[in-house]
Amino acid sequence: MNKNSIAIICLIVCAFYSVQGVDQNIEEEEIRARAFLDELNDELNERRSKQTTAEWNFNSNINSKNEEIKNAIAAENAEFFKETANQILAFDFKAYKDEDLKRQFKELSKLGYAALPRDKFKLLNDAINAMESNYAKVHICSFKNRTKCDLQLEPELTEILLKSEDPEELKYYWTQWYDLAGTPTRQDFETYLRLNKEAAVLNNFTSGAEMWLSEYEDDTIEAQLENIFEEIRPLYQQLHAYVRHSLKQKYGDLIHEDGLIPMHLLGNMWAQSWDSIYKHTTPYPNKKSTDVTEEMIAQNYTPFKMFKLGEQFYESLNMSALPQSFWERSLIEKPIDGRELICHASAWDFYNESDVRISQCTRITMDDLYTVFHEMGHIYYFLQYKDQPNVFRDGANPGFHEAIGDVFALSLTPKHLEKIGLLKSYERDDEAKINELYEKALQKIVFLPFAYSLDQYRWSLFRGEVEPDDYNCKFWQMRVAASGIKPPVQRYKEDFDPPAKYHITADVEYLRYVVSFILQFQIYKGTCILAGEYDPNSSHSVLSDCDIYQSAEAGNALKKMLSLGLSKPWPESLEIVTGQRKMEASALIEYFKPLQDWLEKRNKETGAHIGWDLDYECLSKADMERNEQN
Ligand code: X8Z
Ligand code: ZN
């Protein structure tokens, strides 16, 4: 053996022992790290519990005292999170073998807004609170009686938008809402944008867009969504063409055959769901509707009864009854004591035993029954993952949390509604089935471009791609291009309409709903197969007929998925129920296939134009005045 060989052997042996030494060090550190996290966990639960209580108090009773308490606790917790993030720098967690530990540390190192210095953190919270309070406090004078000025978004404006068929009245309320809920928040919104960017940079992201997108733990998520929208666009265009053509019969000159649909005629303040125009546009109007609102009223349904119906459905899938505290502490009806509150429905985890609650100004309608199911999905997610470490007590990604309740609601098929006595003497033939799918598409398909454009818009602002002067223009350009709808009146550069949507005012990321509306069909299909309610290999089996009620198999798989929380990357959660690890639109497309075929045929027969001209003009009020003078 020559000298060189001896040196090489020595190098190999030394390297082996030093790797072993490192391994041993890492293992020892992992033991210390686990002890650190165990201790921290109780403190995190306590702090989050205290913060949630303060947020709940503000949400259900907006006043300066509750705002002050909420801000003080948020500031205190932000400082604590900063200290914790400093402490964890002492742990070399990226080198750990234990994936679970690594992931807990990774979550703990995300500071979000807490990364801001104390004064800026306060400024940012003040701006968001101010926008939320403004939204909650809007009161509008009645169209017919301008001295009666106590109309609010929920329930009055929502009801009027749903029911009125008078374009002038609808235009009045639409304009009032956007003028009062949007424009006055412009300054706060600009503060929010500035500090959001600073926080993103402190978190090592280029902007708030990247910070939001990182929650999906997949660098290709934007590209995947682009592909999914390519797949869905033909169905949306057919639906849009059919609706526009049908509404023209009702509203005449207000609608142009190849133009944008004026959004105040679509039954919803943001035109995010068009189900209330079902009655004017039904494919087969002689068939009975599956909207059971009237029957719910006739049977004296109350909010409590709607929530009990929801609970019973979840229980039928092997989930437990809701804790007594849920019933005692939730807010399921709009209080009539005059206090200001946020009526937008929400579900709350108090990180404390089983303290979970819903806040919803429930109306007795089928739409609100869907919302009850939706919110309960959040609640059962909270309950299933409650034994996970605090940092994993969250959805597999934000879209999962939004999807669960909707998966259950998809089982509210006509057959199910008959079973629970809400639908009577319903005859189900091919025409009735087209009506059913059409009604669902007005909720689910219409929503997708709306939701996507909302966050594409915010991303572009976060990324600094839009000049402040163009903030409003850009918003409408993107909404128009995505959905083929337009505001009922000219909006100007001086207006600021985006915060007239709750999630923009309240800084809630919205891509979660896009992901949810795709995933929910995928998860629904998976549970339907498990329940033996759907056979993908049989041409007689129809996905939209499936009802997973009382299926222990579906329930157990869902429970297993929910109990993972955020502890594993989301493909693992998806795989449990669907066997797939990728988000796919194929289940949604399959669900609506019979409708898509029908729409294509019908639109051809009627000559309905497909697509829309992008005739949205960006103007300032000064431009407008000049134009008028010339
Ligand atoms: O905000 C909600 C839920 C609460 S997480 C009621 N949703 C979105 C909205 O109302 O804009 C549900 C679907 C879309
Ligand atoms: Zn939700």
Side-chain angles (χ1 to χ4, degrees):
M1 203 179 276
N2 63 26
K3 266 191 193 161
N4 278 352
S5 317
I6 293 171
I8 289 170
I9 290 170
C10 183
L11 260 180
I12 293 171
V13 172
C14 291
F16 178 73
Y17 281 107
S18 85
V19 167
Q20 274 224 320
V22 169
D23 272 4
Q24 201 179 347
N25 282 346
I26 291 283
E27 274 165 26
E28 279 168 16
E29 195 186 305
E30 286 188 7
I31 294 170
R32 269 187 288 126
R34 182 148 310 272
F36 169 81
L37 288 178
D38 282 349
E39 200 176 316
L40 187 64
N41 192 47
D42 292 341
E43 170 133 27
L44 288 177
N45 279 335
E46 247 167 65
R47 285 184 176 271
R48 290 217 158 107
S49 179
K50 205 168 146 197
Q51 184 161 345
T52 309
T53 305
E55 284 168 4
W56 169 272
N57 290 342
F58 174 73
N59 197 86
S60 52
N61 191 1
I62 300 180
N63 59 44
S64 50
K65 188 171 145 268
N66 284 343
E67 182 176 342
E68 223 172 85
I69 299 174
K70 175 178 106 139
N71 287 351
I73 295 174
E76 206 180 282
N77 279 350
E79 290 306 305
F80 172 80
F81 278 112
K82 256 187 284 204
E83 279 163 31
T84 310
N86 272 334
Q87 284 173 1
I88 68 172
L89 291 178
F91 295 90
D92 186 16
F93 64 88
K94 287 189 182 137
Y96 292 177
K97 286 189 204 143
D98 183 331
E99 289 298 327
D100 180 84
L101 273 184
K102 233 179 173 161
R103 199 167 165 80
Q104 286 199 50
F105 275 105
K106 194 183 103 197
E107 285 305 315
L108 274 175
S109 65
K110 290 183 186 169
L111 279 175
Y113 292 158
L116 289 169
R118 210 176 224 279
D119 54 337
K120 290 188 172 167
F121 181 79
K122 179 174 170 358
L123 267 182
L124 176 56
N125 275 327
D126 287 348
I128 297 171
N129 288 338
M131 291 193 285
E132 278 205 69
S133 300
N134 178 70
Y135 188 99
K137 291 179 183 171
V138 173
H139 287 84
I140 288 175
C141 302
S142 157
F143 176 64
K144 292 183 185 119
N145 173 5
R146 303 286 161 106
T147 60
K148 183 179 167 339
C149 297
D150 58 353
L151 306 189
Q152 290 208 280
L153 177 68
E154 294 190 42
E156 291 89 358
L157 267 55
T158 307
E159 292 276 343
I160 295 167
L161 263 286
L162 276 174
K163 290 187 183 149
S164 169
E165 295 175 27
D166 173 357
E168 283 307 310
E169 182 183 24
L170 289 165
K171 187 163 84 184
Y172 166 82
Y173 284 115
W174 188 100
T175 311
Q176 287 286 309
W177 175 255
Y178 280 77
D179 280 350
L180 295 172
T183 309
T185 66
R186 186 175 191 125
Q187 246 188 348
D188 287 316
F189 195 83
E190 289 188 3
T191 305
Y192 158 75
L193 276 183
R194 183 166 53 82
L195 296 171
N196 175 289
K197 168 84 179 180
E198 279 193 42
V201 171
L202 288 170
N203 283 278
N204 294 324
F205 291 107
T206 42
S207 80
E210 285 64 39
M211 192 152 77
W212 272 355
L213 283 162
S214 71
E215 299 298 310
Y216 295 91
E217 300 187 86
D218 183 340
D219 293 341
T220 66
I221 189 84
E222 269 182 280
Q224 285 182 44
L225 285 164
E226 279 303 318
N227 290 337
I228 285 175
F229 272 87
E230 284 296 310
E231 284 181 76
I232 296 168
R233 196 160 291 123
L235 171 56
Y236 182 74
Q237 289 185 336
Q238 291 293 334
L239 186 63
H240 176 275
Y242 173 80
V243 166
R244 181 177 50 197
H245 186 80
S246 311
L247 280 185
K248 185 154 180 62
Q249 324 302 317
K250 183 170 173 61
Y251 290 114
D253 287 348
L254 282 179
I255 309 242
H256 300 284
E257 269 292 3
D258 56 356
L260 307 168
I261 309 178
M263 65 192 283
H264 62 313
L265 306 177
L266 291 166
N268 173 284
M269 193 60 91
W270 311 275
Q272 68 182 65
S273 152
W274 306 348
D275 43 330
S276 73
I277 58 148
Y278 171 81
K279 55 187 179 298
H280 313 310
T281 57
T282 320
Y284 296 102
N286 296 330
K287 301 280 160 189
K288 190 178 161 87
S289 158
T290 53
D291 184 337
V292 297
T293 299
E294 276 172 29
E295 190 57 35
M296 286 168 69
I297 294 168
Q299 292 186 24
N300 295 323
Y301 260 72
T302 58
F304 180 71
K305 195 166 169 189
M306 289 161 71
F307 277 79
K308 275 287 167 198
L309 187 72
E311 181 192 39
Q312 210 241 323
F313 198 112
Y314 282 80
E315 279 186 284
S316 91
L317 278 112
N318 257 355
M319 306 208 182
S320 17
L322 291 169
Q324 188 53 29
S325 59
F326 171 86
W327 299 105
E328 287 162 7
R329 298 174 192 168
S330 287
L331 186 155
I332 62 172
E333 266 175 276
K334 186 172 179 178
I336 46 167
D337 53 11
R339 69 177 120 142
E340 305 283 5
L341 79 158
I342 292 168
C343 259
H344 192 89
S346 51
W348 299 68
D349 186 354
F350 285 72
Y351 303 99
N352 183 6
E353 294 303 313
S354 305
D355 190 354
V356 290
R357 308 178 201 171
I358 286 176
S359 168
Q360 186 178 339
C361 298
T362 318
R363 297 172 306 126
I364 313 299
T365 66
M366 179 144 183
D367 237 10
D368 268 29
L369 184 62
Y370 289 137
T371 306
V372 168
F373 272 62
H374 173 92
E375 296 305 333
M376 280 204 175
H378 291 304
I379 295 290
Y380 277 95
Y381 218 151
F382 299 151
L383 293 173
Q384 289 302 324
Y385 62 50
K386 77 175 173 39
D387 296 323
Q388 289 283 355
N390 179 281
V391 289
F392 292 157
R393 291 174 73 168
D394 209 340
N397 74 33
F400 275 76
H401 230 303
E402 299 304 333
I404 304 310
D406 290 8
V407 168
F408 284 79
L410 282 173
S411 280
L412 290 173
T413 56
K415 215 164 56 189
H416 187 86
L417 295 170
E418 278 181 328
K419 204 181 310 180
I420 58 176
L422 278 175
L423 189 63
K424 290 173 182 159
S425 50
Y426 181 69
E427 227 178 278
R428 200 149 182 271
D429 55 16
D430 287 349
E431 294 186 349
K433 285 188 201 172
I434 290 298
N435 279 353
E436 287 166 20
L437 286 181
Y438 174 65
E439 194 172 15
K440 269 276 177 292
L442 291 178
Q443 298 162 23
K444 304 287 184 185
I445 301 300
V446 158
F447 181 80
L448 282 162
F450 158 78
Y452 196 38
S453 61
L454 222 58
D455 266 11
Q456 284 185 311
Y457 169 72
R458 282 191 291 184
W459 296 340
S460 66
L461 262 53
F462 289 163
R463 288 171 174 154
E465 292 164 357
V466 188
E467 289 301 319
D469 198 36
D470 290 330
Y471 281 173
N472 210 43
C473 267
K474 183 75 178 175
F475 178 69
W476 288 116
Q477 279 175 336
M478 291 175 90
R479 289 288 303 110
V480 161
S483 296
I485 52 102
K486 65 175 181 185
V489 291
Q490 175 68 45
R491 301 305 282 171
Y492 299 104
K493 292 185 174 189
E494 292 85 347
D495 298 317
F496 189 52
D497 296 318
K501 173 69 192 159
Y502 175 72
H503 301 70
I504 295 192
T505 267
D507 182 35
V508 180
E509 185 253 19
Y510 213 76
L511 192 72
R512 64 190 57 200
Y513 301 107
V514 176
V515 171
S516 155
F517 275 50
I518 308 292
L519 282 180
Q520 63 186 248
F521 285 93
Q522 209 174 340
I523 298 175
Y524 171 70
K525 180 172 166 179
T527 55
C528 290
I529 294 171
L530 290 170
E533 276 279 304
Y534 173 68
D535 176 1
N537 299 317
S538 154
S539 57
H540 301 295
S541 198
V542 178
L543 184 54
S544 58
D545 286 348
C546 149
D547 171 12
I548 60 173
Y549 188 67
Q550 287 177 329
S551 164
E553 289 79 2
N556 291 339
L558 280 170
K559 270 165 57 174
K560 196 165 158 207
M561 176 175 102
L562 301 186
S563 65
L564 283 185
L566 181 56
S567 67
K568 298 275 183 326
W570 62 262
E572 301 214 11
S573 286
L574 188 62
E575 195 172 17
I576 292 174
V577 177
T578 65
Q580 296 164 309
R581 295 180 63 88
K582 287 232 164 300
M583 172 169 68
E584 282 177 17
S586 53
L588 174 143
I589 287 171
E590 178 183 346
Y591 186 100
F592 288 107
K593 181 74 172 62
L595 177 70
Q596 183 160 1
D597 293 344
W598 183 87
L599 286 169
E600 279 169 13
K601 188 161 168 279
R602 174 60 73 94
N603 285 335
K604 244 191 218 125
E605 282 163 11
T606 61
H609 180 84
I610 310 290
W612 48 86
D613 286 342
L614 295 178
D615 63 352
Y616 184 75
E617 201 184 354
C618 281
L619 286 176
S620 69
K621 284 185 180 156
D623 293 335
M624 190 62 188
E625 277 157 20
R626 250 194 315 273
N627 287 353
E628 274 170 6
Q629 278 161 11
N630 291 337

